[in-house]
Amino acid sequence: MGFLTFLWCAMLKLTDKLPERLPSLYYQYQAVTHSLQTLAACHPVFGGKKPTNILDCAKGRQPMSSISLSLQDTSDSTDSLVSNGESTPNNWKENLRECWRSDLWSSFLGELLGSFFLFFIGVGAAFVNDGVMVVNALVFFFLITATALSFDLTSGAVFNPAITISLTLLGNLTVFKFVLYFIAQIAGSVVSSLMHSWVFPAATLDKYSHGATTLSSSLDVHPAEGILLEALMTFFLNFVVLLVGAIKDRPKESKVLGAFAAAATVAALILFGGAITGASMNPARSFGPALVGGIWDNHYVYWVGPILGSCLATGVFKVLHPAYSVKRDLVF
């Protein structure tokens, strides 16, 4: 980045006297620069927002939008371009730090921390309550309520790659932000499982398979049945999340009720399918324990099922709400 900043400043320095010699060429240069700046600011890599213009971060100059220039606008004179467009470059490190403050990275950190808290406490609770399903459901109910309300304004409190795919299909997340969320959620799960291996004795981890989700052997559940059940449960969860989160500018009380609705759905689904498939409904929740514990039996079930259910919920939601097209309407 420092090298790119150097090149940018050098280019600006070389063109200091260009208006005097080639006014027409300078005008074209300014027009193209402004167009590139607009494209960069709106590029999906930066979340489709303009928290900080990346070109301004590199060169430490005021936004070119102050020039009020477009490729079709030929009424402005070269003198006005020079007077409005030039300023002394600032320290590039300060500007790069400003780029780092973008909500893109705060969202990444929010998803990472929220996923860690959710999986560390939620999965770890099964190690200390002897796997009692009712207790597990209550723990996840309280956890999801707390994390949804705590990380709502930071990242939207998704914590689930399947639901992240749904939000991306709806247009709430850009592809780049989807990648960041996916990495954060998977990393949060892996780190939480590593912490389990350091906190709990090996005998406890072996007894509960490191918290990995597996198909019930006593019920002789076939992988196809597991995929179907995980898909149906994830469909219901994702659909509820979309319905309670698709209202814009909701009052605080409604937001709290939405968090309770999502948490209650997870708790009910754990009571329903926990003894059959483990009621994962979340690829990240299953991946961490599988990786740390080396338990990969039918692991694909917990990716295929939730993703299929999430895509189905997205399609049904779009059918019921065809007018829903505004980005970032969802609260969590």
Side-chain angles (χ1 to χ4, degrees):
M1 182 61 72
F3 177 70
L4 292 177
T5 305
F6 170 78
L7 289 180
W8 183 255
C9 294
M11 183 175 65
L12 294 175
K13 187 65 177 179
L14 291 174
T15 56
D16 281 345
K17 297 183 180 180
L18 192 57
E20 301 175 3
R21 301 175 183 177
L22 301 171
S24 176
L25 182 59
Y26 182 76
Y27 169 78
Q28 296 176 16
Y29 155 75
Q30 290 281 17
V32 172
T33 301
H34 173 67
S35 300
L36 291 176
Q37 177 198 32
T38 303
L39 289 174
C42 299
H43 195 276
V45 167
F46 301 100
K49 293 186 176 182
K50 291 186 180 180
T52 305
N53 190 297
I54 190 63
L55 294 183
D56 291 334
C57 287
K59 61 190 177 68
R61 293 154 56 87
Q62 67 183 55
M64 295 293 289
S65 58
S66 63
I67 301 175
S68 301
L69 177 66
S70 66
L71 289 172
Q72 291 78 24
D73 185 8
T74 58
S75 60
D76 293 339
S77 65
T78 303
D79 292 339
S80 65
L81 292 176
V82 176
S83 62
N84 292 331
E86 298 296 334
S87 63
T88 303
N90 296 325
N91 189 300
W92 66 271
K93 291 185 179 180
E94 295 179 0
N95 292 304
L96 289 181
R97 279 195 292 268
E98 189 66 27
C99 288
W100 178 255
R101 296 188 186 102
S102 166
D103 69 330
L104 189 70
W105 302 107
S106 63
S107 297
F108 173 82
L109 185 59
E111 282 296 300
L112 178 62
L113 292 176
S115 299
F116 171 77
F117 293 147
L118 181 64
F119 301 137
F120 178 71
I121 300 175
V123 177
F127 300 157
V128 298
N129 63 49
D130 201 25
V132 178
M133 205 60 65
V134 174
V135 177
N136 292 342
L138 286 175
V139 169
F140 271 100
F141 173 81
F142 292 124
L143 268 176
I144 291 175
T145 302
T147 53
L149 295 175
S150 300
F151 292 94
D152 167 35
L153 297 179
T154 304
S155 66
V158 185
F159 313 140
N160 189 332
I163 297 180
T164 304
I165 291 175
S166 175
L167 300 183
T168 305
L169 293 175
L170 286 173
N172 292 74
L173 298 177
T174 63
V175 174
F176 184 72
K177 202 165 188 178
F178 160 76
V179 173
L180 287 182
Y181 273 38
F182 181 86
I183 294 174
Q185 292 156 3
I186 294 296
S189 177
V190 172
V191 173
S192 67
S193 294
L194 288 173
M195 289 294 293
H196 289 155
S197 64
W198 296 332
V199 172
F200 295 99
T204 300
L205 296 173
D206 292 338
K207 179 181 179 180
Y208 296 104
S209 302
H210 288 259
T213 50
T214 57
L215 301 179
S216 174
S217 58
S218 61
L219 298 176
D220 194 23
V221 180
H222 190 273
E225 296 172 336
I227 291 176
L228 177 61
L229 186 57
E230 283 290 323
L232 290 175
M233 290 190 294
T234 307
F235 167 82
F236 188 48
L237 171 61
N238 198 344
F239 193 63
V240 170
V241 169
L242 293 177
L243 289 178
V244 301
I247 303 175
K248 297 175 62 177
D249 303 323
R250 297 186 303 168
K252 183 177 180 181
E253 295 78 8
S254 179
K255 184 182 297 186
V256 174
L257 291 177
F260 273 108
T265 302
V266 172
L269 291 172
I270 290 176
L271 293 175
F272 167 70
I276 305 174
T277 64
S280 172
M281 302 170 283
N282 187 334
R285 181 259 177 271
S286 297
F287 181 79
L291 179 65
V292 176
I295 303 170
W296 299 103
D297 296 342
N298 300 312
H299 181 70
Y300 64 92
V301 168
Y302 302 100
W303 286 88
V304 178
I307 291 176
L308 287 177
S310 178
C311 292
L312 181 61
T314 305
V316 174
F317 178 79
K318 285 294 290 183
V319 171
L320 295 180
H321 299 273
Y324 179 84
S325 60
V326 181
K327 291 185 177 182
R328 295 174 182 82
D329 281 354
L330 287 171
V331 177
F332 44 175

